[in-house]
Amino acid sequence: MQLLSLRDAASIGDLAAIARRRMPGFAFDYLDGAAGDDRGMRRNEEALAAVLFRTRHLVGGRAQTAVEFLGRSYNLPTGVSPMGMANMLWPGMDLVLARLAQKVGIPYVLSTAATTSIERIAEAAPDVAWFQLYVSRDPAINEGLLKRAWAAGIRVLAVTVDVPVPQKRNRNHRHRFDLPFRPHPRFLLDLLAHPRWAVETLRAGMPNFENFVPYAGLARGGSITEVGRFLQAQGKRDLLWEDVERIRGLWPGHLLIKGVMDAEDASRFLRIGADGLWVSNHGGRQLESAPASIDVLREVRAAVGPHAPIVFDSGVRTGESIVKVRALGADLAMSGRAFAYGAAAGGAAGAQKAYDLLELETRYTLLQIGCPDINNVSVSILREGADETRLLHLDPVAVH
Ligand SMILES: Cc1cc2nc3c(=O)[nH]c(=O)nc-3n(C[C@H](O)[C@H](O)[C@H](O)COP(=O)(O)O)c2cc1C
């Protein structure tokens, strides 16, 4: 088998292959795996691949990929989805991705379960950092996190609503990479087989859930396992509509709801004051038999009408997918894994490579289909666009 270098990587899949070589198995499987045996994750990618373009020729023009979202301009309609424990995937990954996002002008979303503090990320990505909240049982923690995010200059909040239970991911389980963490003898062998990861992780210092350390009240801050146990115990499993309304009242900035997978829920989130929706099945990481997020996106857009801001993720690995997601109604086509594979494959250069691939592919796609400006992309650029009524079978409901 040919061993690819970063320079020769031609796709996000190639970056994943390089990342796999460099990362211990438990870390790669935590990144690359999903609920059950990964069928939901594969369904996301397959459903995106099955959407086909209508191609028009002799159009001319220069590719234009910049878009507006919630009053800000981004250079490509993509961004980095929130990822907990990213510094465990590759040392320093949170900062690498935040700096990339700031440099190229796309959103970077910091997870509640991140391994870098809100303040450090906001400093590294002052124009593009958003914050993702996992609601805690203790309201003081939610208020504390939101106050810190606001004080750090963050203005977009995504509240994740699709984690009512700790997920079951079979690839994690086989490594015993669950909480509480009980290392297996194989774990040591895994580290010995990936000395570069082990040495760089030691040098960077053992990662921890930095944003939660202040609330856990543990001696000397506590280890990642101890703070992780606290974070997990705080997870508000019985999240209800009134909890989201309470968060709405606490947050003066833009509020998105992440994990929307139902058109009726989507309309209700807007009615209770959310500024926008984030259609996502968590990259297939929560429910193996969830429908592909791209199929739900069509229904959500039809239900909420043309103006509600919508972010999408789950399965985006190519520029063609970014254009398809725009065509089916989302403003931004984000990804977690695409950027993490890049950062794990080659640090800052690898993250940049992931972005460059997506950007080049998006531009080529726009020119190839004869729709050079991303802002003119609509369902009519798809083969199925000839039958637009299929997408509009749900009556648009009044949102406000
Ligand atoms: C390693 C990893 C950690 C994640 N952690 C979080 C998290 O802390 N909060 C959250 O809302 N979503 C989390 N997600 C889900 C992502 O935000 C996003 O929805 C998903 O990665 C999109 O699918 P894709 O990876 O196929 O692009 C995580 C995903 C990955 C891969």
Side-chain angles (χ1 to χ4, degrees):
M1 195 186 75
Q2 187 196 357
L3 285 187
L4 274 175
S5 67
L6 196 60
R7 189 166 174 275
D8 296 332
S11 66
I12 298 293
D14 286 350
L15 294 177
I18 298 172
R20 173 175 233 141
R21 271 198 335 254
R22 285 162 50 102
M23 297 166 76
F26 80 88
F28 184 76
D29 282 336
Y30 166 63
L31 168 62
D32 191 64
D37 287 323
D38 298 350
R39 288 184 192 84
M41 177 177 71
R42 287 196 292 274
R43 186 174 305 112
N44 282 330
E45 292 184 42
E46 284 159 12
L48 272 164
V51 176
L52 301 179
F53 292 111
R54 174 180 172 200
T55 49
R56 307 298 302 273
H57 295 308
L58 312 185
V59 174
R62 282 165 60 97
Q64 208 294 96
T65 62
V67 297
E68 291 269 317
F69 187 69
L70 297 176
R72 241 210 78 98
S73 175
Y74 296 104
N75 287 327
L76 192 69
T78 188
V80 184
S81 293
M83 285 180 283
M85 288 206 284
N87 290 355
M88 189 76 120
L89 301 174
W90 197 263
M93 185 180 284
D94 287 323
L95 274 172
V96 160
L97 293 179
R99 288 184 184 131
L100 168 83
Q102 175 71 21
K103 183 171 155 210
V104 302
I106 58 172
Y108 170 84
V109 192
L110 183 75
S111 162
T112 296
T115 31
T116 307
S117 74
I118 297 173
E119 292 75 11
R120 281 191 80 190
I121 291 293
E123 198 179 282
D127 301 315
V128 298
W130 301 0
F131 183 61
Q132 173 264 324
L133 182 73
Y134 277 135
V135 180
S136 286
R137 285 193 293 113
D138 179 352
I141 296 181
N142 300 323
E143 282 176 40
L145 288 169
L146 296 190
K147 277 201 180 122
R148 285 169 59 191
W150 185 261
I154 291 175
R155 295 294 177 261
V156 183
L157 173 72
V159 176
T160 296
V161 295
D162 63 359
V163 184
V165 279
Q167 59 299 317
K168 181 169 174 289
R169 299 178 190 145
N170 296 347
R171 285 165 70 182
N172 283 1
H173 190 72
R174 290 183 196 111
H175 292 284
R176 300 194 189 165
F177 190 57
D178 301 309
L179 279 171
F181 186 46
R182 288 156 292 133
H184 194 280
R186 270 201 319 266
F187 184 72
L188 199 61
L189 295 178
D190 206 359
L191 295 187
L192 290 174
H194 298 89
R196 177 140 182 224
W197 182 94
V199 168
E200 290 201 20
T201 298
L202 275 181
R203 198 180 296 145
M206 210 31 207
N208 207 334
F209 296 103
E210 297 294 338
N211 293 307
F212 252 69
V213 168
Y215 311 108
L218 293 160
R220 291 187 305 278
S223 67
I224 187 166
T225 308
E226 291 166 324
V227 182
R229 216 176 273 141
F230 175 77
L231 194 154
Q232 203 177 41
Q234 273 298 329
K236 188 152 175 46
R237 304 294 170 208
D238 55 345
L239 193 68
L240 296 171
W241 290 94
E242 49 265 36
D243 298 309
V244 178
E245 289 183 59
R246 215 164 291 128
I247 300 291
R248 169 69 288 183
L250 289 173
W251 180 251
H254 295 297
L255 174 70
L256 303 172
I257 308 297
K258 179 172 184 284
V260 175
M261 283 294 284
D262 181 86
E264 274 180 42
D265 278 0
S267 302
R268 187 163 172 191
F269 280 123
L270 294 176
R271 281 199 303 272
I272 66 169
D275 298 297
L277 306 160
W278 188 323
V279 174
S280 165
N281 62 21
H282 218 106
R285 293 167 79 83
Q286 290 301 117
L287 180 68
E288 192 173 17
S289 295
S293 298
I294 193 69
D295 290 332
V296 175
L297 172 63
R298 310 162 190 250
E299 297 169 8
V300 168
R301 177 50 85 197
V304 301
H307 302 300
I310 300 184
V311 176
F312 173 90
D313 75 24
S314 301
V316 173
R317 302 285 180 273
T318 63
E320 287 199 2
S321 285
I322 291 175
V323 178
K324 292 173 187 181
V325 167
R326 286 280 299 188
L328 287 167
D331 298 281
L332 301 177
M334 317 271 280
S335 179
R337 295 188 186 89
F339 292 102
Y341 293 139
Q352 181 73 51
K353 177 92 189 195
Y355 175 80
D356 290 345
L357 285 169
L358 295 175
E359 196 263 348
L360 180 78
E361 291 167 1
T362 302
R363 274 195 291 118
Y364 279 9
T365 304
L366 292 171
L367 295 173
Q368 185 66 39
I369 63 173
C371 181
D373 187 343
I374 193 99
N375 294 290
N376 293 334
V377 162
S378 73
V379 72
S380 67
I381 65 152
L382 302 180
R383 260 179 79 77
E384 60 200 286
D387 178 21
E388 284 187 34
T389 48
R390 201 167 82 80
L391 300 166
L392 298 172
H393 65 279
L394 295 168
D395 284 339
V397 293
V399 171
H400 297 293

